[in-house]
Amino acid sequence: QASLRHVEFLDGELRLVGMVASPDGRQMIRGEVSGAPEAAALLGQKLAGDLKTGGAQLLLDAVKLAR
């Protein structure tokens, strides 16, 4: 299960925190990025890429196979 866990705007900077977890919750990949609010879409793409690189794709593939 993937989710954007937290969005924060502080001192002119946007911070995104995301997470991908196995269905049983035993494995979790978490990441965060920050930058200019004007780059929100790029920040989201970077966060997704970082999560995948960190192993999130394996968790997502396992969920698909289990269905």
Side-chain angles (χ1 to χ4, degrees):
Q1 175 159 343
S3 91
L4 181 61
R5 301 300 300 167
H6 184 78
V7 177
E8 181 177 72
F9 184 70
L10 184 63
D11 296 326
E13 190 166 271
L14 186 65
R15 184 172 143 239
L16 307 176
V17 179
M19 180 192 76
V20 175
S22 61
D24 62 9
R26 290 165 54 181
Q27 292 180 298
M28 206 175 305
I29 309 294
R30 183 185 177 279
E32 70 178 75
V33 294
S34 356
E38 298 81 19
L42 292 174
L43 291 171
Q45 291 171 354
K46 175 161 180 16
L47 178 57
D50 290 352
L51 290 170
K52 283 184 176 183
T53 300
Q57 190 62 55
L58 295 173
L59 294 178
L60 294 170
D61 291 344
V63 169
K64 287 179 188 175
L65 287 175
R67 289 185 178 182

